[in-house]
Every structure is written in C-alpha cells, then in structure tokens.
C-alpha cells in the first residue's frame, strides 16, 4: 500500500493541472486513552469516506505541547507509535480501520499527551498528461484535517488542580482584567468541566461567575504537571481591588 501511495503522490506532484476536490472524510473517535502495556496499548480508529471520489489520507502522531497561555505546538512522535496503515487510499463510501499501538515507554510516571493527525491530501488520481516543453509546477495542499487527542495513561494517575495565581491586570487597551493561573500538580490531565468559580472581595462580597464570564476557562484542559493562565474581563459589579477565589469542577472518571 505504501508504494502505491508514493507512486500516486509522485504523479500528483508532477501534475500540471489545478486539482481542488471537494470530498472529505470522517474520523472516529476523536479521542482515545491508551495503556502503556497490555491489550489497552492498541486502539482502533474508523475512517469513513462519504463522498463519491477516492480520497488519500495520511496519519501521523505528534507530541502535544501547550504553553501557559494555551498555545499548542507539536513535535514528531512517530517513533512512539506503530500506525497501520499510515497512508490510505479510500474508495467512495468505504470505511477503513486504522490500528494504533503504543511502543514507547512502558512505565511512564505520569500521563503522556499526544495528537493523532489525519490529513486529506488532494491527489489527482488520474495519470498526468505528458506535455512537451513545459516545466512541472504541481503542488499538494491539505484539505480536511482531524486533530485527535491521545493520552497514554498508566495506573493510579489522577489530576490535582490548584489556583496558583490571581492577579488584577489591564489589557493593552487599558481594560480591567483578572488573570487566573491554574496549576495541575497531578499526574493526569484535568478537564475543567462544569467549572464553578467564586470571587470573594475584601468586604466579603461573593460573586459566582457565569459561564459567559469565564469564557474559554470553562471546559479547558490542563495537562499533567502544567499551568494555564486565563484572562477575563474584571466583573463590572466588583471594585478593581485584590480578590480571592474558590473553585470546583467535575472531573470524569
């Protein structure tokens, strides 16, 4: 399969024609949790082509890196996984099972976070015409792209989130803001589902923030051992003075 894929990829690269297919594909599930050893170290994904044209799909694995402000970056992690098949030519209305096996560290001390990236490539599956006296200018661009969550979760790991910082700030435009820094001191990722956040003013006044006031903070994911800082508009009905805060959230089993 790989040699066939490479041959078609080469044909597309040297094609002189503009090729912009409208077909797409579906990947399920979008999130998987692996065990570092045993039967749980292999998981299956289903890729379905609902269109009337063949699609070419490439699958890769990357490390998931998230900084304090929530910006995500990736680095190659294909050596930590065995993906079969890593490239697919999927017929119209067909489905393909992809098996992914963890082959990295067998005894990690905390949960590890990765991404599975499935990309649709607009490859011209028809042979290119041979035109004399013309140079090759074909290009390949990714159309559909799925970025799935992958966690390698050893036994007895769990999140432990604390509010590590609470600071009054101003935006570049001078608007009053409140910066909250959460630190996941635990060994597994935390999802701030059904987050409830209460601010306590110096005078003892308590304000529970609404989901709209919390913005991207609600349902945010904080990876094991990492920090996330969120800036929200300072509540209009509180004086711009130092406040304290308490919070709760629902962490799924």
């Amino acid at each position: 399969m790989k040699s066939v894929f490479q041959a078609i990829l080469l044909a597309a690269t040297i094609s002189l024609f503009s090729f912009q297919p409208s077909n797409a594909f579906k990947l399920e599930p979008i999130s998987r949790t692996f065990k570092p050893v045993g039967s749980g170290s292999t998981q299956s994904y289903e890729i379905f082509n609902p269109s009337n044209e063949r699609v070419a799909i490439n699958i890769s694995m990357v490390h998931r890196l998230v900084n304090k402000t929530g910006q995500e970056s990736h680095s190659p992690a294909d050596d930590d996984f065995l993906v079969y098949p890593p490239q697919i030519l999927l017929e119209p209305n067909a489905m393909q099972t992809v098996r992914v096996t963890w082959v990295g560290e067998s005894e990690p001390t905390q949960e590890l976070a990765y991404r599975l990236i499935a990309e649709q490539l607009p490859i011209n599956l028809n042979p290119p015409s041979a035109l004399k006296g013309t140079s090759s200018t074909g290009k390949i661009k990714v159309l559909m792209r799925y970025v799935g969550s992958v966690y390698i979760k050893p036994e007895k790991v769990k999140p432990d989130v604390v509010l590590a910082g609470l600071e009054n700030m101003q935006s570049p435009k001078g608007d009053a803001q409140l910066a909250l820094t959460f630190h996941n001191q635990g060994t597994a990722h935390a999802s701030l589902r059904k987050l409830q956040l209460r601010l306590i003013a110096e005078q003892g006044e308590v304000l529970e923030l609404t989901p709209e006031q919390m913005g991207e903070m609600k349902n945010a994911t904080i990876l094991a051992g990492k920090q996330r800082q969120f800036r929200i508009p300072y509540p209009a009905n509180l004086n711009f003075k130092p406040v304290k805060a308490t919070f709760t959230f629902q962490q799924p089993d």
Side-chain angles (χ1 to χ4, degrees):
M1 172 64 75
K2 185 174 183 179
S3 61
V4 173
F5 182 88
Q6 291 174 333
I8 296 176
L9 183 62
L10 177 61
T13 304
I14 65 175
S15 175
L16 303 176
F17 300 97
S18 174
F19 184 66
Q20 297 179 339
S22 59
N23 47 308
F25 69 97
K26 297 180 180 179
L27 171 72
E28 293 182 352
I30 200 64
S31 179
R32 281 289 197 193
T33 299
F34 291 65
K35 292 183 178 180
V37 294
S39 60
S41 62
T42 296
Q43 302 284 346
S44 295
Y45 294 80
E46 303 293 342
I47 297 181
F48 178 62
N49 175 17
S51 74
N52 294 322
E53 299 180 15
R54 286 195 293 172
V55 294
I57 301 165
N58 184 74
I59 301 166
S60 60
M61 307 298 299
V62 295
H63 293 277
R64 180 182 178 182
L65 310 171
V66 182
N67 68 12
K68 190 174 180 178
T69 61
Q71 293 181 323
E72 184 168 325
S73 60
H74 303 140
S75 62
D78 292 304
D79 290 344
D80 289 337
F81 296 87
L82 177 62
V83 180
Y84 183 81
Q87 294 96 20
I88 301 170
L89 293 178
L90 200 55
E91 298 294 332
N93 300 305
M95 184 179 68
Q96 171 74 51
T97 298
V98 175
R99 293 173 62 84
V100 178
T101 301
W102 168 253
V103 295
E105 187 177 355
S106 60
E107 297 182 356
T109 57
Q110 67 176 32
E111 181 185 73
L112 307 176
Y114 293 84
R115 291 293 197 187
L116 180 147
I117 299 179
E119 299 171 315
Q120 176 191 355
L121 303 178
I123 295 178
N124 189 347
L125 300 178
N126 297 317
S129 300
L131 300 179
K132 295 182 179 180
T134 310
S135 60
S136 300
T137 58
K139 295 182 179 180
I140 293 179
K141 296 180 181 179
V142 172
L143 292 182
M144 193 74 178
R145 189 173 191 257
Y146 282 92
V147 181
S149 298
V150 173
Y151 297 103
I152 311 301
K153 187 175 182 179
E155 298 290 340
K156 298 180 180 180
V157 296
K158 61 181 181 179
D160 180 16
V161 180
V162 299
L163 186 59
L166 188 63
E167 183 180 2
N168 291 2
M169 304 186 73
Q170 287 187 333
S171 72
K173 296 182 179 180
D175 298 324
Q177 291 183 323
L178 184 64
L180 303 98
T181 301
F182 292 88
H183 184 192
N184 182 3
Q185 300 175 332
T187 51
H189 77 281
S191 297
L192 302 183
R193 299 179 181 178
K194 297 186 178 181
L195 177 65
Q196 292 184 322
L197 182 63
R198 297 174 180 86
L199 302 181
I200 306 170
E202 288 182 336
Q203 300 82 3
E205 180 184 2
V206 177
L207 174 65
E208 183 166 339
L209 298 184
T210 66
E212 291 74 21
Q213 288 176 304
M214 289 187 285
E216 66 174 3
M217 192 187 322
K218 63 181 187 297
N219 299 320
T221 296
I222 308 176
L223 300 181
K226 302 300 182 181
Q227 293 188 11
R228 284 290 311 275
Q229 185 183 82
F230 305 91
R231 294 189 181 188
I232 62 174
Y234 201 90
N237 49 344
L238 283 181
N239 293 326
F240 191 62
K241 293 182 178 181
V243 295
K244 297 180 181 180
T246 61
F247 72 97
T248 60
F249 68 97
Q250 180 179 328
Q251 176 67 26
D253 295 333

